[in-house]
Amino acid sequence: MKVVPVPCLSDNFAYLIICEETGEAGVVDPSEAPPVKQAIAKAGVKLTAILNTHHHWDHIGGNKGLLADHGNLKVYGHKSDAGRIDGFTHGLDTGDTFTVGRINFSVLHNPGHTTGAITFLAEGCAFTGDTLFAAGCGRVFEGTMEMMYASLNDVLGSLPDETRIYFGHEYTENNLRFAAEVEPDSRDVQDRWAEVRKTRAAGRFTTPSVMAEERRTNPFLRCAAPAVKAGAKKADPGSADSPAAVFGAIRGWKDRF
Ligand code: ZN
Ligand code: FE
């Protein structure tokens, strides 16, 4: 399996996932068709599937254009998003599996950003859309804070340390600026922030991230840490102490940041 990040729009990533044994490929979250078509032509692969993590336009905007060129594509998304994803063919839920070429995918439902948000897993990689970002997480648009907390910490929180996280937007530098506000004394956050500034200054992207790094530096996965609890109190002095309440307080702070 080979993963090719395809920058789209101003800060989105689509990902071309290639089965090197069969030459077939799937694309995660094609924001727009032209850059994805270019990546397909450059790699010389046959597109057979679209994998949509959720229904937002900046993740499905290229579905129609790809379907126009490639016809018979399988289009995967959460079963509840059947009416919200162009060309939808296969509804999925936690535990469901499918293949692209000989690559085996499985699915985790992680509602919060949207009610139908899912993560695709294959060969130690997780394609998380707008649920888990490098050093951050998506806004809670359709679910509740409790739901998003559980999706990040219980569902995605079960992924092994070495899992590579392929996220939906290049927001990493700003996310770390916020993480440094939440945990001003964290050496791990400062070190990662410095490294990401260098990466971005060199014109490179920060995808993928690694789960172990997220556990060390992503405040939204660290709601039980004393420093993050203290950060939540700064943002919302009346907030409760449970990890889900801490999550709600810092997510609200990030929305205003
Ligand atoms: Zn979104
Ligand atoms: Fe998005």
Side-chain angles (χ1 to χ4, degrees):
M1 179 176 109
K2 186 180 168 192
V3 181
V4 180
V6 183
C8 292
L9 305 174
S10 61
D11 52 30
N12 278 80
F13 292 117
Y15 296 101
L16 194 60
I17 307 176
I18 299 166
C19 173
E20 291 169 294
E21 292 172 51
T22 66
E24 290 165 82
V27 63
V28 175
D29 286 356
S31 315
E32 51 180 346
V36 175
K37 288 181 184 177
Q38 275 177 26
I40 292 166
K42 190 175 171 204
V45 294
K46 179 179 160 49
L47 188 72
T48 61
I50 297 174
L51 286 61
N52 291 123
T53 62
H54 64 294
H55 72 90
H56 284 159
W57 69 274
D58 61 314
H59 298 256
I60 70 166
N63 281 24
K64 277 185 178 158
L66 293 172
L67 283 159
D69 267 26
H70 297 272
N72 243 342
L73 298 175
K74 291 173 177 160
V75 180
Y76 295 99
H78 188 255
K79 61 182 184 179
S80 69
D81 274 341
R84 309 202 283 185
I85 291 177
D86 297 323
F88 192 92
T89 62
H90 288 68
L92 302 167
D93 203 355
T94 294
D96 288 342
T97 61
F98 62 94
T99 60
V100 173
R102 298 206 182 103
I103 305 167
N104 295 306
F105 283 89
S106 63
V107 174
L108 294 173
H109 182 210
N110 41 219
H113 178 67
T114 65
T115 50
I118 55 177
T119 287
F120 296 98
L121 303 174
E123 301 186 14
C125 300
F127 298 87
T128 57
D130 289 354
T131 298
L132 177 59
F133 292 134
C137 73
R139 280 179 191 254
V140 179
F141 283 125
E142 295 179 3
T144 63
M145 290 295 181
E146 290 72 20
M147 207 183 260
M148 188 69 161
Y149 171 80
S151 289
L152 286 163
N153 290 277
D154 302 335
V155 179
L156 298 181
S158 67
L159 295 173
D161 268 349
E162 61 276 14
T163 309
R164 289 188 295 284
I165 307 296
Y166 289 88
F167 44 88
H169 290 267
E170 181 60 67
Y171 291 158
T172 312
E173 192 173 351
N174 192 49
N175 286 343
L176 284 160
R177 191 165 65 85
F178 178 70
E181 291 284 322
V182 179
E183 292 192 83
D185 299 327
S186 167
R187 186 78 238 190
D188 289 329
V189 168
Q190 293 297 332
D191 288 350
R192 188 179 186 190
W193 191 14
E195 192 164 324
V196 161
R197 280 197 300 262
K198 266 192 243 165
T199 301
R200 298 297 295 140
R204 286 181 281 115
F205 296 111
T206 61
T207 188
S209 162
V210 180
M211 196 61 187
E213 186 80 30
E214 296 311 318
R215 291 196 164 101
R216 280 195 294 271
T217 58
N218 189 327
F220 300 102
L221 298 184
R222 298 173 50 75
C223 296
V228 177
K229 280 189 179 178
K233 292 288 184 201
K234 267 194 295 180
D236 183 357
S239 63
D241 280 333
S242 72
V246 169
F247 176 85
I250 60 171
R251 185 57 261 182
W253 180 10
K254 179 68 164 55
D255 289 350
R256 304 183 298 271
F257 184 69

